[in-house]
Amino acid sequence: MYKNNWQNRRRGRRSHQQNSRLRQHGPDERYNSVAEQSPQDSGPISDDESPSTSSGSAGSSSVPDLPGFYFDPEKKRYFRLLPGHNNCNPLTKESIRQKEMESKRLQLLEEEDKQKKKIARVGFNASSLLQKSKLGFLNVTSYCRLAHELRVSCMQRKKVQIQSSDPSALASDRFNLILADTNSDRLFTVNDVKVGGSKYGIISLRGLKTPSLKVHMHENLYFTNRKVNSVCWASLNHLDSHILLCLMGIAETPGCATLLPASLFVSSHPGDRPGMLCSFRIPGAWSCAWSLNIQANNCFSTGLSRRVLVTNVVTGHRQSFGTSSDVLAQQFALMAPLLFNGCRSGEIFAIDLRCRNQGKGWKATRLFHDSAVTSVQILQEEQNLMASDMAGTIKLWDLRTTKCIRQYEGHVNEYAYLPLHVHEEEGIVVAVGQDCYTRIWSFHDACLLRTIPSPHPTSKADIPSVAFSSRLGGFRGAPGLLMAVQQDLYCFSYT
């Protein structure tokens, strides 16, 4: 009796000491002490070694999440996630997410190569479309719009052969951005040079005809070590005679806006002569836009930090408008004397260019997004505006009621400066996300028509730059999409 009581008291004191130690260490240290008992901290944990709660559900679609561990559905095992980015550990959250995205990209590419394209609308094909048109269920406008959507869903990827006087440069210089002119027969390019800096060029699209897709790159020995923040075509002597560039300042060199004559690369207009560079000292420009409005002839705008600057190229006269945020996107209206601006704060406002001072009334319209606005596009009738932001939101606004009338879902953006392409003639909206996927929506009902993966592995430094046109290569060209990524140029043409 006495011996049994003494043993019970001894076991009670031992359990009390263990509980007090666990309370002192806290729940985190208790979990670490249990995890350290594993024979291999960075190795796999089999189903037998995993907790009993997960042994029965490891093979199912949903398995319990363990803090600090990753479950591999292929191997059906848990793996420890090690902290830090300076080691050679292959199991980090970023590497796992990158592996999943690459697997999805390869699967979509395989489906495209096998022409297993999913039609966006149920029961929507060429035969049903033609039958509805013959029965009178579709008018001419609806038939053309739906036919464009069907062709967009069936576009095929083909690599474009680029010819140049310096073929070695084509193999090393990476595309940063491409920008088509108004007639879509020229493509202005900004390439990152391997030794540092940027190089400009113009690609002639007149040879972009099937089955042999060949284009010629016209280059000029004009380099800059400064970052290109924004670029647009400018019509100074004639339509798209110049390219307007906004360059960041470095060290003691201030930022500037440069008008670069297109004739320095290739002459496309009768009587063109090599022009002179024209630079304006404008520090810290985030965006730029050229005016085709007759009331602001020969003028361009630059969006700065908390300021908008409108400059007349011929007279040098400047007009300044103070804002409460950085201006990241701009576009002039064609019929009304208005300049629309998108800000880092999410505000979109229009400046009435007839106001010569900053008194009341110079803000004609005000719209609001929840994140920084990266692109604004005024539609043809100038009654609607489309804008995208850094939260991945794309909205169509009614400028008369200042209300959002449509929203396009699926765009991916967190912090990048990504453009938006609107083509009313074909009735489509095109945008490249930060995940390197190019998405095409129906303009009229916001239906996602096509998701195109990048031909190269997904990377933040290799986001594709695209240009869509109904007449690639000029007035006799066919509709299609051009995609530039790394050193390659691809064409998605109608079949």
Side-chain angles (χ1 to χ4, degrees), residues 124-192:
F124 180 59
N125 51 48
S127 59
S128 64
L129 183 63
L130 184 60
Q131 185 178 5
K132 290 180 181 180
S133 176
K134 289 181 178 180
L135 293 176
F137 295 144
L138 294 175
N139 56 27
V140 177
T141 304
S142 299
Y143 175 79
C144 294
R145 174 174 61 85
L146 292 174
H148 275 299
E149 292 185 5
L150 184 62
R151 289 171 180 170
V152 164
S153 302
C154 300
M155 290 190 305
Q156 298 180 7
R157 181 184 76 252
K158 295 181 180 179
K159 191 172 181 179
V160 180
Q161 181 181 352
I162 305 176
Q163 299 175 341
S164 174
S165 57
D166 188 6
S168 61
L170 294 176
S172 59
D173 300 343
R174 304 162 68 92
F175 282 105
N176 191 338
L177 64 88
I178 59 174
L179 183 67
D181 64 356
T182 305
N183 295 328
S184 299
D185 56 1
R186 292 177 299 172
L187 204 66
F188 180 75
T189 66
V190 178
N191 294 72
D192 293 333

Side-chain angles (χ1 to χ4, degrees), residues 98-113:
Q98 191 73 17
K99 181 181 177 181
E100 293 175 351
M101 291 178 62
E102 181 64 14
S103 176
K104 179 183 176 182
R105 186 189 70 86
L106 293 176
Q107 181 180 358
L108 289 176
L109 283 177
E110 184 179 357
E111 292 178 358
E112 287 206 345
D113 293 338

Side-chain angles (χ1 to χ4, degrees), residues 18 21-39 41 67 69 80:
Q18 291 178 354
R21 282 200 300 269
L22 290 175
R23 283 194 297 268
Q24 290 175 2
H25 291 315
D28 294 336
E29 293 186 21
R30 272 181 288 171
Y31 173 77
N32 291 334
S33 64
V34 174
E36 287 173 357
Q37 294 175 4
S38 175
D41 288 344
F69 290 90
R80 176 183 288 277

Side-chain angles (χ1 to χ4, degrees), residues 360-391:
K360 295 182 178 180
W362 64 273
K363 280 191 177 183
T365 306
R366 298 185 70 184
L367 310 170
F368 294 93
H369 275 237
D370 295 330
S371 183
V373 178
T374 59
S375 180
V376 291
Q377 296 289 329
I378 307 170
L379 304 189
Q380 291 178 358
E381 299 297 329
E382 298 188 1
Q383 296 178 354
N384 298 303
L385 178 142
M386 188 171 289
S388 61
D389 59 30
M390 288 189 182

Side-chain angles (χ1 to χ4, degrees), residues 162 170 173-180 186-192 198-205 215-220 222 228 231 233 243 245 260 265 465 484 489:
I162 305 176
L170 294 176
D173 300 343
R174 304 162 68 92
F175 282 105
N176 191 338
L177 64 88
I178 59 174
L179 183 67
R186 292 177 299 172
L187 204 66
F188 180 75
T189 66
V190 178
N191 294 72
D192 293 333
S198 300
K199 183 175 66 174
Y200 310 140
I202 289 182
I203 295 178
S204 176
L205 300 178
V215 295
H216 190 82
M217 168 78 81
H218 301 273
E219 299 173 331
N220 191 291
Y222 181 79
V228 178
V231 59
W233 286 91
I243 302 101
L245 298 166
L260 191 63
F265 302 93
S465 180
L489 182 66

